[in-house]
Every structure is written in structure tokens, then in C-alpha cells.
Amino acid sequence: MVDAGSHIFMHQAEFLDGFPAALFRSTLEGTIVYCNRCFAGLFGYDSVKALIGSPEVALYRNMKDRGYLVDSLLQQGRLYDIPISFRKRDGSALSCAATVRGVFDDDGMVVHVDGLLRDITTEIVYSQAPPPLDDGFDQLGDLLISASLHGDILDVNKVAGELLGVTKTQAPGKPLFQFFEPEDRMLLLVFFADVRKLGRGETVMTVRDPQGRPRHLEWRAYLWNDGGRPHHVKLFGRDITGMVERQNRRIQGEKFQGALEMAGGVAHHLNQPLTIVNNLLNEMLTEASVEEPCFDRMLKVQQQVSRMIAITRKIAAIKRYESMDYVAGVKIVDIEKSILTTAGEDQA
């Protein structure tokens, strides 16, 4: 919309100001650097001057929503029709579908967020609250949650309340996002947008139970309409933690087996040339005189080659994975610990 310095040519400004859609640009940190008249009018302002330079987050009903939006944007580059709850200048509610994209600098870093807002307030105004979940749903072994189109909890069954650590009276009004792992909060935002557009959706996302343990859930969501308009979302969650953990263990086992086979192959192919080099050095040292200037250096080379041979033998003897801290948060294989048996004896 505008260049990185937020300057535009006059004819571009006139075109965007007269564009019949709410357009804006903000910094990644959240300062509005441009908006058109339609954007200002949408929020109840007579002029764009009152908004330029102001914090974008002040327009959100739930300030955390901008964080979720930006996190999702950084992951995907573009987002389409994400339902967000805002508030107007007079404090009244405003619901918009937000379409945003990242603007990159020459180094490939996101520096601005360009966005278009579409007013969907009349599309999702609730004529009445959805009926409470029937007591029969408390007998289900799976989670059942009613949520607003913005992701606020409206009602839960017994299993969902126990897993989320809330009662049926505490749950209404709480943002569903807060119960999910940070990396899945971004996915949940996009998931709700897809459900609103497609009418249904399926995904796997992780929550934390009251004991702080991760619980992997398979979610099926359905859009509930009232009078032909989207009203709320019904979410069914099935706990698949055991299945996910078994699959992860299998995948890790396959990766470890592959790493072992590669390590064994590398050790095998290195051992032969290293042994030949070591034997040649031994012959040269036997024939050389101690007084020769290269003798000490040859001896040091021979010692280092012997160390390399010992390392390749240890690599070939690795039977399990043990890591150690390296630099800059990187972990590498701790060869010494990886060749020990459970009894602590070296197999090499």
C-alpha cells in the first residue's frame, strides 16, 4: 500500500482514501502508520489524523488477539478473513473479517502489516445466546464446547470442563485460545476462520490439563447457523494423546535407527583409511631419527590419528542417544555417554 517509510504519492493517497474498503498499515510492533477514510469511519472517527501514530492494539476488544494475529501472520505470510472482535471509538462492539499480509524489507524481515477489514457485525450478531448443552452431553467421553465465532467459550460439557480446568459456570466468556499451547493458538485462529467460511473443519491441537500435562486432541468443528447467519461453533474433541505419543516414539525410533546406521557406515568407511595412515606413520616414525626436525610433528600427527581411530570405534559402538550442550543452544551427541550400557560399562 505504501513504501517502507510510509510515504505515498498524492494520486495513490487519493485513490486509497476513496477506496470503499477499510485499509491500513501498521508496524510490526503495532503503530498505525497509514489508514484510509473508510477505516477511520469504520471505527467512528471523522479523520484519519486521530489514528495515524496511535497503537493498533487499542482498537481490539481483546488485546491478545493482535498477538495471535501477528504470530499467525509471521508463520504463514498472509491470512484471509480472520474474524476479529474490535471496539469503536464510543466503545461499541465491532466485528470484522481481517485479511492481512506481511511487508518485507530488503533483508527479508517483516516490518509492516498491511490489512483490509470487512465489517461482519451484522452477520454474527446473536439474536439470543445458544441453548445450553443438554445434560446428556455430560455422559460423553469426548469434549464438547460451544464457542463464539471469535473463539470465546459459551458452554462446555463435563469432560471438557475437567480437561480445561474450569466449571460450567466459570467457562463462559473465557477465550478458548488461552487453553492451547502457544504454537497452536495461531492454528486455532486460522481454524476458526476456515470453519466460518467452510462450515466445518478438522485438525489436531494440543491443550494443557490442570496438572500442566500436554493433551493432544483431535478436533471436529461445525458452524451453527441461526436464521441463515453464522451463530456459533460446536467443537468436538477426542483425546488422542496416547496415539500421538506412540507415533512420536515410533518416529523417533526410526530416526534414531537411521542415525545409528549412518554413524556405523561413517565409522566403517573412515576406519580403514585411518588405519592405513596410522600404519604408514608408525613405519615412518620407526625409520626416522629422533633428532630430525619433523619427528615431533610426525609423532603429534600419529597421536591425533590414533585418537580419530578411537572415536570411530566409539561411534560404531553407539547403542542409545545421549546429548550434550554445545554452543548457542545447539545440542550434539555425547559419544561417551551414548556408548555406556545401563550398568555404566563401556562397550567399546
Side-chain angles (χ1 to χ4, degrees):
M1 279 190 251
V2 295
D3 64 16
S6 304
H7 298 296
I8 55 178
F9 295 110
M10 185 60 67
H11 68 278
Q12 292 175 312
E14 292 175 353
F15 172 77
L16 293 176
D17 280 341
F19 200 73
L23 306 174
F24 74 95
R25 166 170 284 189
S26 64
T27 63
L28 193 62
E29 295 74 21
T31 300
I32 297 174
V33 295
Y34 172 79
C35 66
N36 64 357
R37 289 195 301 268
C38 186
F39 182 92
L42 184 63
F43 286 91
Y45 290 87
D46 297 328
S47 169
V48 300
K49 293 181 179 179
L51 289 169
I52 301 297
S54 66
E56 181 192 351
V57 71
L59 302 177
Y60 285 74
R61 190 189 71 171
N62 181 358
M63 293 185 179
K64 290 184 179 180
D65 282 352
R66 188 185 188 268
Y68 300 145
L69 189 73
V70 171
D71 286 342
S72 300
L73 180 64
L74 293 176
Q75 292 288 326
Q76 302 194 34
R78 289 175 181 266
L79 298 172
Y80 299 94
D81 271 355
I82 304 296
I84 300 289
S85 183
F86 295 97
R87 56 185 175 190
K88 295 185 179 182
R89 185 180 186 181
D90 60 8
S92 58
L94 172 67
S95 296
C96 292
T99 296
V100 294
R101 70 177 181 91
V103 180
F104 299 84
D105 63 11
D106 293 337
D107 297 322
M109 303 294 291
V110 176
V111 291
H112 289 101
V113 177
D114 279 355
L116 180 152
L117 299 184
R118 182 170 59 86
D119 189 352
I120 58 172
T121 305
T122 57
E123 297 178 27
I124 62 173
V125 168
Y126 304 141
S127 56
Q128 59 181 6
L133 297 177
D134 189 273
D135 291 341
F137 288 116
D138 287 337
Q139 307 307 314
L140 290 177
D142 295 335
L143 289 76
L144 175 57
I145 301 173
S146 291
S148 73
L149 299 179
H150 299 298
D152 294 335
I153 296 176
L154 302 174
D155 200 0
V156 297
N157 70 346
K158 182 179 178 181
V159 174
E162 291 174 349
L163 185 60
L164 300 181
V166 293
T167 65
K168 289 178 70 70
T169 55
Q170 293 171 337
K174 289 186 179 295
L176 191 57
F177 299 98
Q178 74 181 47
F179 298 100
F180 285 78
E181 293 288 81
E183 59 270 20
D184 282 346
R185 292 172 186 170
M186 306 175 235
L187 177 59
L188 184 62
L189 193 67
V190 178
F191 182 59
F192 262 75
D194 288 343
V195 170
R196 185 176 176 276
K197 287 186 291 186
L198 303 176
R200 59 181 299 164
E202 297 181 8
T203 189
V204 174
M205 291 181 288
T206 304
V207 301
R208 291 271 173 180
D209 65 16
Q211 289 73 43
R213 297 171 301 191
R215 303 288 287 271
H216 306 291
L217 297 157
E218 181 182 59
W219 294 96
R220 289 182 172 85
Y222 303 90
L223 183 65
W224 193 276
N225 291 293
D226 181 18
R229 294 191 302 177
H231 191 275
H232 67 279
V233 175
K234 284 283 194 300
L235 295 109
F236 296 86
R238 183 169 66 94
D239 193 341
I240 58 171
T241 302
M243 183 179 70
V244 171
E245 290 178 347
R246 287 192 297 272
Q247 185 177 11
N248 287 340
R249 286 195 295 270
R250 179 180 62 79
I251 292 173
Q252 290 302 319
E254 291 174 354
K255 288 182 178 179
F256 179 59
Q257 184 61 34
L260 279 181
E261 292 172 359
M262 182 181 69
V266 170
H268 172 73
H269 289 292
L270 283 177
N271 188 62
Q272 185 175 1
L274 286 173
T275 301
I276 293 173
V277 170
N278 189 55
N279 291 338
L280 290 173
L281 284 169
N282 285 332
E283 292 177 7
M284 294 170 66
L285 286 169
T286 301
E287 297 171 357
S289 172
V290 177
E291 288 78 17
E292 291 184 17
C294 292
F295 186 86
D296 287 342
R297 282 178 285 178
M298 291 171 58
L299 184 61
K300 289 180 180 179
V301 171
Q302 192 268 346
Q303 290 170 347
Q304 295 305 312
V305 170
S306 296
R307 286 186 61 193
M308 293 170 68
I309 293 173
I311 291 172
T312 59
R313 289 173 180 171
K314 288 181 178 180
I315 291 175
I318 288 177
K319 294 292 185 279
R320 62 177 184 174
Y321 174 75
E322 292 287 344
S323 65
M324 61 185 290
D325 293 327
Y326 186 50
V327 293
V330 175
K331 288 185 177 295
I332 60 174
V333 175
D334 188 324
I335 296 177
E336 297 296 334
K337 290 183 178 179
S338 297
I339 63 176
L340 297 178
T341 65
T342 54
E345 298 179 352
D346 195 332
Q347 293 185 358

